[in-house]
Amino acid sequence: MRRRVFIIACAAFVALVALLVYHCHGMKTRNAVDQMIQKKKIINILVAGSNKPNDHKHKFFAIISINPDNRRIGITFIPPSFKIRLDDDGDTVARIDDVVVFNFNRLRYSLQKDLRLNIPFYIELYASDVERIVNLIEGVNLFVLDQENAAGAGFGISYFDGRKIGRYINTAEQNSIYLKYDRILDVLMTLYRDRERLERFNNIEFITVMMKSMQTNMLPQEVQRIGDLIFKDGDVMATVLPGFLSGGYYVIDDITFRIYEKEFLTQLIVDKSEKEIDSSIKIKIVNGTDVPGLARKMRESLIREGLNVVEFGTSPYRKMEKSVIINKRGNVAAVNRVAELTGIQNIYHVIDNTQLHNVMIIIGEDLAK
């Protein structure tokens, strides 16, 4: 009898070990992202960020949406006061910045109900993570235009290490979360523009080191698969989730959701025609040389092409040797179109959603000859 019990116990132990080995092997080889790519499903990732660790509670929130079919990337910034349902009926609610991100299933359910997005993945980032990652990729070359307290950098291109990137984001005027979102976009879109240099970092060894201190439900091979999409030609666009304040919470209703769906979600899938892109472009042109009349001349040329020039004049900045195009609204397709029509290939990103124009051209000496 004892021998029989012993044999059964050994068999159960072996089965348990086999199950654990199978589970661990499955975790190491799992690639849910690859499965979504094969099925051509939009990949949504909730990114939550904070300056200081605080029990998995954060102040920065964004949903990164990637269409694997056309490699179009959409970034939706979520206000920290966005209302999250804490129960199925929505009777108990909280601000998203008061919800523990570690309890991801509750966040996922609430966001899916309001935004109608399936969000299977999350990443938590703290300031220390951002600083370490930026240093690992050897820094970022940002273009500084007129951003206040830009980590001590002056007008033009400046090198930012991880510490400076943190200061750049956190010294936004009046500590505004929306201006911080603009600066985060400056960094992300600059990195996207510089992805040819960064592609060498898209390997399992580097990604494993990069993810060492990050809290996420993604595996290194899944992050690498995301990288495979990002490093191919595509497009990037960004928005702050449309909505309104009600009872101390930021909420979205049927009307604001339809705006979000039409102006953002649909654009992840449907290609805009050249005419649609042109109609969305609002340009400001400033002459950064001593040669008079260049801004007016370019204005007339672009108007003939069907573009809308909302302002032109003399540059308030120092003289420019080479002309530049500044992305002001997080729309890569718009700046690429202006680059195509003007021949200007120096594109930088200084996002400012308070401005009427979404593209700014600074004419340099190269167009004065």
Side-chain angles (χ1 to χ4, degrees):
M1 182 67 179
R2 289 181 180 176
R3 178 178 174 81
R4 187 177 179 183
V5 171
F6 177 74
I7 292 173
I8 292 173
C10 288
F13 177 74
V14 170
L16 179 61
V17 170
L19 185 63
L20 287 172
V21 170
Y22 176 79
H23 175 73
C24 292
H25 176 73
M27 285 297 292
K28 287 182 179 180
T29 59
R30 183 198 83 189
N31 198 326
V33 170
D34 201 41
Q35 294 174 17
M36 295 179 75
I37 291 172
Q38 291 174 13
K39 295 177 181 178
K40 297 186 177 181
K41 290 185 176 181
I42 301 293
I43 302 163
N44 296 304
I45 307 165
L46 175 67
V47 180
S50 178
N51 287 324
K52 297 180 180 178
N54 184 27
D55 299 326
H56 301 284
K57 292 183 180 180
H58 300 274
K59 291 294 182 184
F60 305 83
F61 296 90
I63 297 172
I64 311 297
S65 302
I66 304 170
N67 184 343
D69 197 35
N70 57 20
R71 298 169 302 283
R72 194 163 294 153
I73 303 168
I75 304 171
T76 303
F77 288 106
I78 303 175
S81 60
F82 185 73
K83 185 168 73 174
I84 293 296
R85 308 161 191 260
L86 297 180
D87 56 39
D88 293 350
D89 298 324
D91 295 329
T92 306
V93 299
R95 290 165 50 116
I96 192 172
D97 62 353
D98 283 331
V99 178
V100 177
V101 175
F102 197 71
N103 184 14
F104 178 60
N105 285 337
R106 174 48 54 189
L107 271 175
R108 179 183 181 182
Y109 167 81
S110 184
L111 290 169
Q112 182 171 337
K113 200 165 183 70
D114 286 326
L115 307 185
R116 302 168 207 183
L117 294 175
N118 177 35
I119 308 172
F121 307 114
Y122 75 89
I123 296 173
E124 294 184 68
L125 288 173
Y126 294 99
S128 57
D129 297 317
V130 173
E131 181 175 332
R132 191 173 66 85
I133 291 169
V134 170
N135 288 335
L136 283 172
I137 62 172
E138 301 173 1
V140 184
N141 291 316
L142 285 183
F143 189 93
V144 176
L145 187 63
D146 49 12
Q147 304 97 303
E148 292 186 12
N149 302 314
F155 177 82
I157 300 174
S158 292
Y159 171 79
F160 284 70
D161 61 13
R163 188 176 180 183
K164 281 188 174 182
I165 286 294
R167 286 176 56 199
Y168 178 74
I169 294 169
N170 287 307
T171 55
E173 189 177 356
Q174 300 175 353
N175 203 33
S176 164
I177 185 66
Y178 299 103
L179 294 182
K180 288 181 181 180
Y181 283 160
D182 284 350
R183 292 196 173 185
I184 290 170
L185 265 183
D186 292 347
V187 178
L188 293 178
M189 291 201 159
T190 298
L191 290 173
Y192 183 78
R193 181 77 179 174
D194 197 25
R195 62 191 187 280
E196 184 176 330
R197 174 184 72 86
L198 299 173
E199 189 171 8
R200 61 193 172 95
F201 296 115
N202 189 40
N203 59 75
I204 289 294
E205 292 76 15
F206 176 85
I207 291 170
T208 301
V209 172
M210 181 186 73
M211 296 176 64
K212 189 175 182 180
S213 64
M214 291 167 48
Q215 296 290 331
T216 178
N217 64 348
M218 299 188 74
L219 298 175
Q221 61 265 28
E222 293 170 333
V223 174
Q224 184 185 30
R225 200 68 180 94
I226 293 288
D228 292 340
L229 297 174
I230 293 174
F231 287 111
K232 294 179 181 178
D233 287 337
D235 192 10
V236 180
M237 55 185 186
T239 188
V240 173
L241 183 68
F244 55 93
L245 285 172
S246 176
Y249 296 99
Y250 192 88
V251 298
I252 184 169
D253 61 7
D254 287 341
I255 295 174
T256 48
F257 175 77
R258 283 198 292 271
I259 294 171
Y260 179 57
E261 183 178 44
K262 179 182 178 181
E263 297 184 359
F264 190 78
L265 296 179
T266 302
Q267 306 310 320
L268 279 172
I269 302 168
V270 180
D271 291 334
K272 277 189 174 182
S273 67
E274 190 175 282
K275 185 177 180 180
E276 288 175 315
I277 295 174
D278 289 356
S279 66
S280 69
I281 298 173
K282 296 179 177 62
I283 304 173
K284 177 178 179 179
I285 306 170
V286 293
N287 185 357
T289 77
D290 291 324
V291 180
L294 293 180
R296 182 183 296 276
K297 183 179 178 181
M298 180 175 285
R299 170 182 175 268
E300 293 171 353
S301 173
L302 291 177
I303 288 176
R304 284 196 297 270
E305 294 287 351
L307 301 189
N308 184 11
V309 179
V310 297
E311 187 179 347
F312 71 100
T314 302
S315 173
Y317 313 110
R318 66 171 172 78
K319 304 304 177 188
M320 297 286 295
E321 186 174 324
K322 292 185 177 180
S323 302
V324 300
I325 295 172
I326 308 292
N327 178 8
K328 301 292 285 185
R329 287 286 185 87
N331 189 324
V332 171
V335 293
N336 286 344
R337 176 64 175 150
V338 174
E340 177 188 340
L341 293 174
T342 61
I344 300 171
Q345 296 304 313
N346 299 308
I347 298 174
Y348 302 107
H349 309 276
V350 183
I351 310 301
D352 185 353
N353 282 292
T354 65
Q355 299 297 314
L356 174 62
H357 59 281
N358 54 15
V359 178
M360 180 178 182
I361 300 173
I362 305 178
I363 298 175
E365 296 291 345
D366 55 341
L367 294 184
K369 299 173 183 178

